[in-house]
Coordinates of all heavy atoms in Angstrom, one line a residue:
G22 N -12.0 1.4 10.0 CA -12.0 0.0 9.7 C -13.4 -0.3 9.2 O -14.3 0.6 9.0
G23 N -13.7 -1.6 9.0 CA -14.9 -2.0 8.4 C -14.9 -2.1 6.9 O -13.8 -1.7 6.3
K24 N -15.9 -2.5 6.3 CA -15.9 -2.8 4.8 C -16.6 -1.7 4.1 O -17.5 -1.1 4.5 CB -16.6 -4.2 4.6 CG -16.0 -5.3 5.3 CD -16.7 -6.6 5.0 CE -16.1 -7.8 5.7 NZ -16.8 -9.1 5.5
G25 N -16.2 -1.5 2.8 CA -16.9 -0.7 1.9 C -16.5 0.8 1.9 O -17.0 1.6 1.1
Y26 N -15.6 1.2 2.8 CA -15.2 2.6 2.8 C -14.2 2.9 1.7 O -13.3 2.1 1.4 CB -14.5 2.9 4.2 CG -15.4 2.9 5.3 CD1 -15.4 1.8 6.2 CD2 -16.4 3.9 5.6 CE1 -16.3 1.7 7.3 CE2 -17.2 3.8 6.6 CZ -17.2 2.7 7.5 OH -18.1 2.7 8.6
F27 N -14.4 4.0 1.1 CA -13.5 4.3 -0.1 C -13.4 5.9 -0.2 O -14.3 6.6 0.1 CB -14.1 3.8 -1.4 CG -13.2 4.0 -2.6 CD1 -12.1 3.2 -2.8 CD2 -13.5 5.0 -3.5 CE1 -11.3 3.4 -3.9 CE2 -12.7 5.1 -4.6 CZ -11.6 4.3 -4.8
N28 N -12.2 6.3 -0.6 CA -11.9 7.7 -0.8 C -11.2 7.9 -2.1 O -10.1 7.4 -2.3 CB -11.1 8.2 0.4 CG -10.9 9.8 0.4 OD1 -10.7 10.3 -0.7 ND2 -11.1 10.4 1.5
Y29 N -11.9 8.6 -3.0 CA -11.3 8.8 -4.4 C -10.0 9.5 -4.4 O -9.2 9.5 -5.4 CB -12.3 9.5 -5.3 CG -13.6 8.7 -5.6 CD1 -14.8 9.0 -5.0 CD2 -13.5 7.7 -6.4 CE1 -15.9 8.3 -5.3 CE2 -14.6 6.9 -6.7 CZ -15.9 7.3 -6.2 OH -17.0 6.5 -6.4
S30 N -9.7 10.3 -3.3 CA -8.5 11.1 -3.3 C -7.2 10.3 -3.0 O -6.1 10.8 -3.1 CB -8.6 12.3 -2.4 OG -8.6 11.9 -1.0
H31 N -7.4 9.1 -2.4 CA -6.2 8.4 -1.9 C -5.2 8.0 -3.0 O -4.0 8.1 -2.8 CB -6.7 7.1 -1.2 CG -7.3 7.3 0.1 ND1 -7.8 6.3 0.9 CD2 -7.5 8.4 0.8 CE1 -8.3 6.8 2.0 NE2 -8.1 8.1 2.0
A32 N -5.7 7.7 -4.2 CA -4.7 7.2 -5.2 C -3.8 8.4 -5.6 O -2.6 8.2 -5.8 CB -5.5 6.8 -6.5
G33 N -4.3 9.6 -5.8 CA -3.4 10.7 -6.1 C -2.4 11.1 -5.0 O -1.3 11.4 -5.3
K34 N -2.9 11.0 -3.8 CA -2.0 11.2 -2.7 C -0.9 10.2 -2.6 O 0.3 10.5 -2.4 CB -2.7 11.3 -1.4 CG -3.7 12.4 -1.3 CD -4.5 12.4 0.0 CE -5.5 13.5 0.1 NZ -6.3 13.5 1.3
Q35 N -1.2 8.9 -2.9 CA -0.2 7.9 -2.8 C 0.8 8.0 -4.0 O 2.0 7.8 -3.8 CB -0.9 6.5 -2.9 CG 0.1 5.3 -2.8 CD -0.6 4.0 -2.4 OE1 -0.9 3.9 -1.3 NE2 -0.8 3.1 -3.4
M36 N 0.3 8.5 -5.1 CA 1.2 8.7 -6.2 C 2.3 9.7 -5.9 O 3.5 9.6 -6.2 CB 0.5 9.2 -7.5 CG 1.3 9.3 -8.7 SD 0.4 9.7 -10.2 CE -0.3 11.3 -9.9
A37 N 1.9 10.8 -5.1 CA 2.9 11.8 -4.6 C 3.8 11.2 -3.6 O 5.0 11.5 -3.6 CB 2.1 13.0 -4.0
L38 N 3.3 10.3 -2.7 CA 4.1 9.8 -1.6 C 5.1 8.8 -2.1 O 6.2 8.5 -1.4 CB 3.2 9.3 -0.5 CG 2.5 10.4 0.3 CD1 1.3 9.8 1.1 CD2 3.5 11.0 1.3
T39 N 4.9 8.1 -3.2 CA 5.9 7.1 -3.6 C 7.2 7.7 -3.9 O 8.2 7.0 -3.9 CB 5.4 6.3 -4.9 OG1 5.1 7.3 -5.9 CG2 4.1 5.5 -4.6
A40 N 7.2 9.0 -4.3 CA 8.5 9.7 -4.6 C 9.4 9.8 -3.4 O 10.6 10.0 -3.5 CB 8.2 11.1 -5.1
F41 N 8.9 9.6 -2.2 CA 9.7 9.7 -0.9 C 10.3 8.4 -0.5 O 10.9 8.3 0.5 CB 8.8 10.2 0.2 CG 8.4 11.7 0.0 CD1 7.2 12.0 -0.7 CD2 9.1 12.7 0.6 CE1 6.8 13.3 -0.8 CE2 8.7 14.0 0.5 CZ 7.5 14.3 -0.3
A42 N 10.1 7.3 -1.3 CA 10.6 6.0 -0.9 C 12.1 5.9 -0.9 O 12.8 6.5 -1.8 CB 10.0 4.9 -1.9
S43 N 12.6 5.1 0.0 CA 14.1 4.8 0.0 C 14.3 3.6 -0.9 O 13.3 2.9 -1.3 CB 14.6 4.6 1.4 OG 14.1 3.4 1.9
D44 N 15.6 3.2 -1.1 CA 15.9 2.0 -1.9 C 16.2 0.8 -1.0 O 16.8 -0.1 -1.5 CB 17.0 2.3 -2.9 CG 18.3 2.8 -2.2 OD1 18.3 2.8 -0.9 OD2 19.3 3.0 -2.9
R45 N 15.8 0.8 0.2 CA 16.1 -0.3 1.1 C 15.3 -1.6 0.7 O 14.3 -1.5 0.0 CB 15.7 0.0 2.6 CG 14.2 0.1 2.8 CD 13.9 0.3 4.3 NE 12.5 0.5 4.5 CZ 11.6 -0.5 4.7 NH1 12.0 -1.8 4.6 NH2 10.3 -0.3 4.9
N46 N 15.8 -2.7 1.1 CA 15.0 -4.0 0.9 C 13.9 -4.0 1.9 O 14.1 -3.8 3.1 CB 15.9 -5.2 1.0 CG 17.0 -5.3 -0.1 OD1 16.7 -4.9 -1.2 ND2 18.2 -5.7 0.3
I47 N 12.7 -4.3 1.4 CA 11.6 -4.4 2.3 C 11.6 -5.8 3.0 O 12.2 -6.8 2.6 CB 10.2 -4.2 1.6 CG1 10.0 -5.3 0.6 CG2 10.2 -2.8 1.0 CD1 8.6 -5.2 -0.1
S48 N 10.9 -5.8 4.2 CA 10.9 -7.0 5.0 C 9.9 -8.1 4.4 O 9.1 -7.8 3.6 CB 10.5 -6.7 6.4 OG 9.1 -6.3 6.5
K49 N 10.0 -9.3 5.0 CA 9.1 -10.3 4.6 C 7.7 -10.0 4.9 O 6.8 -10.2 4.0 CB 9.5 -11.6 5.3 CG 8.6 -12.8 5.0 CD 8.9 -14.0 5.9 CE 8.0 -15.2 5.6 NZ 8.3 -16.4 6.4
E50 N 7.4 -9.3 6.0 CA 6.0 -8.9 6.4 C 5.5 -7.9 5.5 O 4.3 -7.8 5.1 CB 6.0 -8.5 7.8 CG 6.2 -9.6 8.9 CD 7.7 -10.0 9.0 OE1 8.6 -9.2 8.5 OE2 8.0 -11.0 9.6
E51 N 6.4 -6.9 5.1 CA 6.0 -5.9 4.1 C 5.6 -6.5 2.8 O 4.6 -6.1 2.1 CB 7.1 -4.9 4.0 CG 7.3 -4.0 5.2 CD 8.5 -3.2 5.2 OE1 9.6 -3.6 4.7 OE2 8.5 -2.1 5.7
Q52 N 6.4 -7.4 2.3 CA 6.2 -8.1 1.0 C 4.9 -8.9 1.1 O 4.1 -8.9 0.1 CB 7.3 -9.0 0.6 CG 7.1 -9.7 -0.8 CD 7.0 -8.6 -1.9 OE1 7.9 -7.8 -2.0 NE2 6.0 -8.7 -2.7
E53 N 4.6 -9.5 2.2 CA 3.4 -10.3 2.4 C 2.2 -9.3 2.4 O 1.1 -9.7 2.0 CB 3.4 -11.0 3.7 CG 4.3 -12.2 3.7 CD 4.5 -12.9 5.0 OE1 4.0 -12.3 6.1 OE2 5.1 -14.0 5.1
T54 N 2.3 -8.1 2.8 CA 1.2 -7.1 2.7 C 0.8 -6.9 1.3 O -0.3 -6.9 0.9 CB 1.7 -5.8 3.4 OG1 2.0 -6.0 4.7 CG2 0.6 -4.7 3.2
I55 N 1.8 -6.7 0.4 CA 1.6 -6.5 -1.0 C 0.9 -7.7 -1.6 O -0.1 -7.6 -2.3 CB 2.9 -6.1 -1.8 CG1 3.4 -4.8 -1.3 CG2 2.6 -6.1 -3.3 CD1 4.8 -4.4 -1.9
N56 N 1.5 -8.9 -1.3 CA 1.0 -10.1 -1.9 C -0.4 -10.4 -1.4 O -1.3 -10.8 -2.3 CB 1.9 -11.3 -1.4 CG 3.3 -11.2 -2.0 OD1 3.6 -10.4 -2.9 ND2 4.2 -12.0 -1.4
F57 N -0.8 -10.1 -0.2 CA -2.1 -10.3 0.3 C -3.1 -9.4 -0.4 O -4.2 -9.9 -0.8 CB -2.1 -10.1 1.8 CG -3.4 -10.5 2.5 CD1 -3.7 -11.8 2.8 CD2 -4.4 -9.5 2.7 CE1 -4.9 -12.1 3.4 CE2 -5.6 -9.8 3.3 CZ -5.9 -11.2 3.7
I58 N -2.8 -8.2 -0.6 CA -3.7 -7.3 -1.2 C -3.9 -7.7 -2.7 O -5.1 -7.8 -3.2 CB -3.2 -5.8 -1.1 CG1 -3.2 -5.3 0.3 CG2 -4.1 -4.9 -2.0 CD1 -2.6 -4.0 0.5
L59 N -2.9 -8.0 -3.4 CA -3.0 -8.3 -4.8 C -3.6 -9.6 -5.0 O -4.2 -9.9 -6.1 CB -1.6 -8.2 -5.5 CG -0.9 -6.9 -5.5 CD1 0.3 -6.9 -6.4 CD2 -1.8 -5.7 -5.9
A60 N -3.6 -10.5 -4.0 CA -4.2 -11.8 -4.2 C -5.7 -11.8 -4.0 O -6.3 -12.8 -4.3 CB -3.6 -12.8 -3.2
Q61 N -6.3 -10.7 -3.6 CA -7.7 -10.6 -3.4 C -8.4 -10.7 -4.7 O -8.2 -9.9 -5.6 CB -8.1 -9.4 -2.7 CG -7.5 -9.2 -1.3 CD -7.9 -10.3 -0.4 OE1 -9.0 -10.6 -0.2 NE2 -6.8 -10.9 0.2

């Protein structure tokens, strides 16, 4: 936790992990997570 921490390897790992997603509808709280991050 805390501010300013960053790891350059995270983006590549996330690109690999998106392939494991299911096609379910996400919840309201999950959508709010995306909205909150992108609204910064």
Side-chain angles (χ1 to χ4, degrees):
K24 300 178 180 180
Y26 293 103
F27 185 75
N28 188 314
Y29 291 108
S30 71
H31 284 178
K34 294 177 181 180
Q35 183 160 284
M36 184 172 66
L38 285 161
T39 59
F41 292 86
S43 70
D44 59 1
R45 70 172 176 88
N46 293 324
I47 62 174
S48 70
K49 178 182 177 181
E50 292 76 15
E51 290 169 326
Q52 184 61 55
E53 287 174 350
T54 298
I55 296 173
N56 295 345
F57 186 83
I58 294 171
L59 298 191
Q61 300 302 306

